[in-house]
Amino acid sequence: MPLPLPRGDAPYRVDMLCLGNICRSPIAQVVLTAKLARAGLTPRVIVDSSGTGDWHIGQPMDPRAAAVLSDLGHDPTTHRARQFDSSWFDDHDLVLAMDESNLRRAQALAPDDDSRRRVVLLRAFDPAAHGDLQVPDPWYGGPGGFEEVLAIVDRATDALVEELATLLGPPQWPSPQPPA
Ligand code: 4NP
């Protein structure tokens, strides 16, 4: 799907949005950030994450989310949960919601139509979504839920990186260096 156009020369800023900002959106933030670096799109794209709720502000990732990221070699330890509010529209080009509830909450906070159009579902980029556009909330389930989140995020972010590369132009090396 076409991405919202950049708002100027500043880095293109993406926010991954879920409910608590301790499970789904931090996984998506870490995975997308790593892929952007490999694609030579760092620092032209900056990825944040946030939650619509306030329960976990300041807390690290859920240990189950941290575990699936650690297993892939990522560092999950620096994450601290933040809450989304309308000010995030001031400096973010694209808000990627994990489910319909997060989408509606962010759209309700949007100050204008342009901001509202910048909120879309992450799974709109998942080629295997088959009409199911939710990233299921893994909070109440077992570790399998976190593996499912990771698989969805992996597919969606592959497509997203391609869209971002098309939108922003070819990689600029060195940016950091591509992988060996
Ligand atoms: P997340 O998962 O939205 O993917 O971070 C949840 C984390 C916490 C809660 C719900 C979902 N909670 O109810 O506290």
Side-chain angles (χ1 to χ4, degrees):
M1 64 175 285
L3 291 170
L5 295 176
R7 294 163 311 151
D9 290 337
Y12 195 84
R13 290 191 67 158
V14 178
D15 179 47
M16 297 291 191
L17 180 72
C18 64
L19 177 59
N21 191 214
I22 55 170
C23 300
R24 290 166 293 176
S25 62
I27 290 174
Q29 178 187 6
V30 168
V31 169
L32 179 59
T33 299
K35 289 183 182 182
L36 290 168
R38 288 199 294 272
L41 288 168
T42 305
R44 288 187 293 154
V45 184
I46 294 174
V47 191
D48 296 300
S49 68
S50 61
T52 58
D54 62 1
W55 311 284
H56 300 285
I57 292 172
Q59 293 178 8
M61 253 182 250
D62 182 289
R64 298 164 296 177
V68 294
L69 290 172
S70 297
D71 286 349
L72 288 177
H74 298 296
D75 175 11
T77 62
T78 58
H79 177 74
R80 295 295 178 270
R82 296 190 287 168
Q83 185 180 23
F84 185 86
D85 64 34
S86 59
S87 71
W88 285 62
F89 287 108
D90 295 345
D91 51 10
H92 287 83
D93 299 276
L94 177 65
V95 177
L96 290 169
M98 299 298 131
D99 63 33
E100 291 282 351
S101 168
N102 319 142
L103 178 87
R104 282 196 299 273
R105 182 79 192 119
Q107 286 175 334
L109 289 167
D112 51 39
D113 287 345
D114 176 66
S115 301
R116 197 170 302 113
R117 280 192 290 271
R118 292 177 184 275
V119 187
V120 297
L121 290 165
L122 175 67
R123 281 199 90 174
F125 297 93
D126 176 2
H130 304 305
D132 175 9
L133 295 185
Q134 320 278 321
V135 181
D137 185 345
W139 170 253
Y140 293 106
F146 286 81
E147 295 292 347
E148 184 186 6
V149 169
L150 187 65
I152 293 169
V153 162
D154 190 42
R155 292 193 302 266
T157 53
D158 274 349
L160 190 57
V161 169
E162 283 189 23
E163 298 268 2
L164 285 164
T166 301
L167 181 71
L168 300 175
Q172 295 169 351
W173 306 110
S175 117
Q177 294 296 318

